[in-house]
């Protein structure tokens, strides 16, 4: 009997410890906000994003043939991956990058870190995940930390309502993509799945970028090429690959709680790379954020909490 095709939502083997993978993911994901803002100085947002996604998708298709071989994928799997790619890449990143043209990278990182709260609210009814009191306490603590940082950033009225709404809508799209990934459990392997998602998001953005932005606004600088290379290799391939791998190793709620680390890391990279100001009150939000992550992601005792339920593949 032939072996079942690999599932993108099934754990894959790795030679690195999970805590190290989590640390690398957090650094790559949070630095992407500052990296994107640097590259956006020389290229319109949707044009840059479409280029990044198409390049990353092509590279990962080649990697998929080497790593995954030719996985047997159903139409359902391909459709699910295209749908998730539209949410995670076209909508989430499209809105975020548009907002980054007139908001700070740190503010974008902070608002995006509200992802775990939204995922937790729907993980129960959509995925059947069981939320304990400690996990809810962790979500609450993480949210308190985010609010503290938000209060610090908004006090000086340096951010706009338009930017806030764009980032918030993008975060909601990423939340929906996270839940959809766990719910549909598409087959095909991490590289193949990520390639399809990048290409679906990038290709739908190409006509939108051509219709709304001018190619004449592109300045071919070392900053643009360096930023694009970082976003393609480190973030689209490395960061998103790690994100989907981490989703296979834990529940959607636990994995998405890693986004509570984005405010302090986003503030750090914004300060280091863009010289963005960091109000002292921002640092007070780090402690509840860290404690909240620990409560949400700590392993549950086998007798206290059943394993996360997954929808059956058909």
């Amino acid at each position: 009997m032939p072996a079942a095709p690999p599932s993108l939502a099934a754990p894959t083997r790795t030679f690195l410890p999970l805590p190290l993978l989590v640390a690398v993911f957090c650094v790559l994901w949070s630095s992407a906000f500052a990296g994107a803002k640097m590259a956006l100085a020389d290229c319109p947002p949707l044009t840059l994003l479409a280029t990044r996604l198409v390049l990353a998708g092509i590279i990962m298709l080649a990697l998929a043939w080497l790593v995954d071989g030719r996985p047997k994928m159903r139409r359902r799997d391909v459709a699910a991956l295209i749908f998730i790619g539209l949410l995670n890449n076209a909508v989430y990143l499209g809105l975020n990058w548009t907002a980054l043209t007139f908001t700070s990278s740190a503010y974008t990182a902070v608002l995006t870190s509200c992802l775990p709260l939204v995922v937790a609210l729907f993980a129960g009814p959509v995925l059947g995940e069981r939320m304990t009191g400690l996990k809810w306490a962790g979500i609450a603590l993480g949210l308190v930390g985010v609010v503290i940082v938000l209060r610090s950033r908004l006090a000086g009225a340096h951010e706009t309502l338009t930017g806030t709404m764009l980032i918030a809508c993008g975060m909601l799209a990423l939340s929906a993509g996270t839940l959809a990934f766990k719910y549909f459990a598409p087959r095909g392997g991490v590289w193949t799945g990520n390639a399809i998602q990048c290409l679906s998001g990038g290709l739908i953005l190409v006509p939108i970028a051509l219709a709304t932005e001018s190619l004449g606004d592109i300045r071919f600088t070392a900053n643009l090429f360096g930023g694009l290379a970082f976003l393609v290799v480190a973030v689209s391939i490395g960061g998103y690959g790690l994100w989907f791998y981490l989703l296979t190793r834990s529940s959607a709620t636990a994995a998405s709680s890693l986004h509570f680390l984005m405010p302090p890391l986003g503030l750090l990279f914004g300060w280091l790379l863009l010289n963005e100001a960091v109000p002292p009150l921002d640092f007070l939000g780090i402690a509840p954020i860290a404690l909240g992550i620990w409560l949400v992601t700590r392993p549950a005792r086998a007798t206290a909490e059943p394993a996360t339920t997954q929808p059956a593949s058909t």
Side-chain angles (χ1 to χ4, degrees):
M1 184 175 183
S7 171
L8 190 62
T12 56
R13 183 175 301 177
T14 177
F15 298 100
L16 298 177
L18 188 60
L20 178 59
L21 295 178
V22 169
V24 172
F25 163 75
C26 290
V27 169
L28 291 176
W29 196 276
S30 57
S31 65
F33 296 103
K37 191 168 181 67
M38 291 177 64
L40 286 171
D42 298 311
C43 186
L46 298 184
T47 301
L48 180 63
L49 178 57
T51 303
R52 162 195 165 180
L53 292 174
V54 171
L55 287 176
I58 293 173
I59 293 172
M60 282 185 288
L61 273 182
L63 290 173
W65 279 77
L66 295 175
V67 178
D68 297 334
R70 299 182 62 179
K72 297 179 180 179
M73 301 178 66
R74 302 160 298 180
R75 291 183 180 178
R76 172 185 181 275
D77 299 321
V78 176
L81 289 169
I82 291 174
F83 175 65
I84 296 167
L86 295 178
L87 290 173
N88 287 348
N89 293 317
V91 182
Y92 160 62
L93 289 176
L95 293 176
N96 263 11
W97 282 30
T98 300
L100 275 172
T101 59
F102 54 90
T103 61
S104 67
S105 64
Y107 188 65
T108 305
V110 168
L111 285 187
T112 303
S113 70
C114 293
L115 170 75
L117 180 63
V118 178
V119 171
L121 290 175
F122 294 97
V126 175
L127 303 177
E129 292 184 6
R130 179 181 175 186
M131 290 295 294
T132 64
L134 284 178
K135 287 188 176 182
W136 280 116
I139 292 291
L141 280 171
L143 184 60
V144 167
V146 170
V147 170
I148 292 174
V149 178
L150 279 177
R151 173 68 176 82
S152 172
R153 305 298 299 187
L154 292 174
H158 298 301
E159 310 294 349
T160 66
L161 179 60
T162 301
T164 301
M165 294 301 296
L166 287 173
I167 299 167
C169 290
M171 180 270 296
L172 292 175
L174 181 60
S175 302
T178 301
L179 293 167
F181 176 83
K182 293 293 287 187
Y183 180 80
F184 292 113
R187 301 179 182 181
V190 171
W191 291 114
T192 303
N194 204 4
I196 293 174
Q197 292 177 69
C198 279
L199 286 174
S200 63
L203 291 176
I204 199 172
L205 285 174
V206 169
I208 299 175
L210 292 175
T212 60
E213 298 175 345
S214 173
L215 296 179
D217 293 332
I218 302 175
R219 293 179 295 179
F220 297 98
T221 63
N223 184 67
L224 173 60
F225 286 114
L228 181 60
F230 173 78
L231 292 168
V232 169
V233 178
V235 181
S236 283
I237 297 177
Y240 267 87
L242 280 173
W243 169 239
F244 290 117
Y245 174 76
L246 292 173
L247 275 176
T248 68
R249 294 291 300 271
S250 61
S251 68
T253 300
S256 62
S257 69
L258 296 174
H259 285 259
F260 277 142
L261 277 173
M262 302 312 159
L265 289 174
L267 294 173
L268 173 64
F269 285 112
W271 173 71
L272 283 176
L273 301 178
L274 302 171
N275 199 30
E276 293 179 348
V278 181
L281 189 60
D282 286 0
F283 296 102
L284 294 179
I286 295 177
I289 288 171
L291 180 57
I293 291 173
W294 180 77
L295 289 175
V296 172
T297 60
R298 64 194 295 266
R301 291 177 297 180
T303 57
E305 183 177 354
T308 303
T309 57
Q310 295 290 337
S313 298
T314 58

